[in-house]
Amino acid sequence: MTYRSILISGASSGIGCALARLYAQSGTHLALIGRDEPRLNAIAAECRSAGAAVTTLQQDVRARKALADWIAAVDDGHPIDLVIAAAGVTSGTGVGRRRENPEMARATLDINVGGLLNTVEPVIERMSIRGGGRVALVGSLAALRGLPYCPAYCASKAAVHLYAEAIRANLAPQGVRVTLIVPGFVSTPLNHDMICPKPLQISVERAAHIIHRGLGRGADVIAFPRLLYYGTHLLRLLPTRWADTIIGQFHVDIPERLQQIAEDPAHRP
């Protein structure tokens, strides 16, 4: 399956950035959204060098109207056949912080859920009218079982999973396909400074190749690493107290990123 007009949020770093590189080729148009302007410009230049046409938007995904207007303009010129909602942040507890910072928790939900909706809703409407396209949503293995050290992040990704499942059946009759991406630990700027066990962690390049291959064959779910994916499902079968005890044994320190997720009022409609 070949995609010629691709929208990627979170394109200035991590999985979104790595996927932009993989899709960059002659005959492809990339619409890239990111918050970090220098990095966004750098990946755009790299993709243009590979032969792709590139349009960029330096924007906070919480800016609903700004995103909708820009996406409509992009789609008018290059009808989007694949949207990848990869923008996201983490939050949690850490040394000296037994509870999540309330502002961080709310921002995590707003970005990971609200920002995802702001990215895909304008595209879904247009794809439905055209009768085709694919929507890819980046979830997480953390959505499969609530973790005491990152409640808001788990909740936000669980919402993404359920949303993907719900719209998959809703959009299928209109020819629009939905893919849920369920990564485990990936070496990205999002988690490189998190202190915690990171079993079976893979590089961002490897993760992007797995996602790229899965989207190419039209997979409904792209989950990796498989061993950790199935292991997390098994954890849900244990009695709740047992599972809570096991999970509670790990030392986890998730740094606060209030400055990184602080909202620029200029980015709001």
Side-chain angles (χ1 to χ4, degrees):
M1 189 176 298
T2 301
Y3 303 102
R4 290 303 182 189
S5 180
I6 304 162
L7 169 66
I8 305 175
S9 70
S12 56
S13 68
I15 289 175
C17 181
L19 283 170
R21 291 191 179 98
L22 286 180
Y23 280 111
Q25 60 182 338
S26 179
T28 298
H29 179 267
L30 298 177
L32 307 179
I33 304 169
R35 286 193 61 174
D36 189 305
E37 188 169 19
R39 290 202 307 242
L40 184 63
N41 290 338
I43 186 60
E46 189 177 333
C47 292
R48 291 187 183 105
S49 296
V54 183
T55 305
T56 63
L57 175 67
Q58 189 264 323
Q59 184 63 271
D60 188 314
V61 291
R62 289 172 285 187
R64 181 179 178 182
K65 187 177 185 303
L67 255 68
D69 291 345
W70 183 80
I71 289 169
V74 168
D75 193 75
D76 285 343
H78 305 273
I80 297 165
D81 51 20
L82 172 63
V83 53
I84 304 172
V89 296
T90 60
S91 66
T93 62
V95 176
R97 293 179 289 112
R98 293 184 59 84
R99 303 287 183 271
E100 275 188 299
N101 181 298
E103 297 305 316
M104 282 289 297
R106 283 159 178 75
T108 297
L109 289 162
D110 201 9
I111 293 169
N112 293 359
V113 181
L116 178 140
L117 294 176
N118 294 343
T119 302
V120 303
E121 284 178 337
V123 185
I124 286 173
E125 283 300 313
R126 288 169 169 252
M127 285 181 173
S128 297
I129 293 171
R130 289 193 291 267
R134 182 166 295 275
V135 177
L137 310 178
V138 178
S140 169
L141 286 180
L144 303 181
R145 212 287 177 184
L147 305 174
Y149 18 82
C150 52
Y153 180 75
C154 291
S156 71
K157 290 303 183 179
V160 171
H161 283 220
L162 291 177
Y163 180 72
E165 292 173 1
I167 65 171
R168 179 183 295 121
N170 179 274
L171 295 175
Q174 299 159 61
V176 180
R177 305 303 175 186
V178 177
T179 296
L180 175 62
I181 300 166
V182 191
F185 285 103
V186 179
S187 182
T188 69
L190 192 68
N191 65 25
H192 80 276
D193 54 354
M194 288 171 49
I195 300 173
C196 65
K198 299 175 184 177
L200 304 177
Q201 179 173 255
I202 64 174
S203 70
V204 69
E205 292 79 16
R206 175 62 179 154
H209 276 285
I210 293 171
I211 295 167
H212 184 269
R213 184 173 64 248
L215 291 174
R217 67 171 186 267
D220 292 328
V221 178
I222 304 170
F224 57 92
R226 286 285 180 174
L227 182 61
L228 197 57
Y229 177 67
Y230 292 128
T232 305
H233 276 292
L234 288 174
L235 186 64
R236 295 177 61 86
L237 300 178
L238 293 177
T240 301
R241 289 186 181 180
W242 292 10
D244 286 348
T245 299
I246 292 170
I247 293 170
Q249 299 302 309
F250 299 110
H251 169 71
V252 175
D253 186 1
I254 301 175
E256 286 193 338
R257 298 184 175 90
L258 282 171
Q259 187 62 36
Q260 292 181 32
I261 67 169
E263 189 175 9
D264 183 347
H267 286 172
R268 276 289 189 182

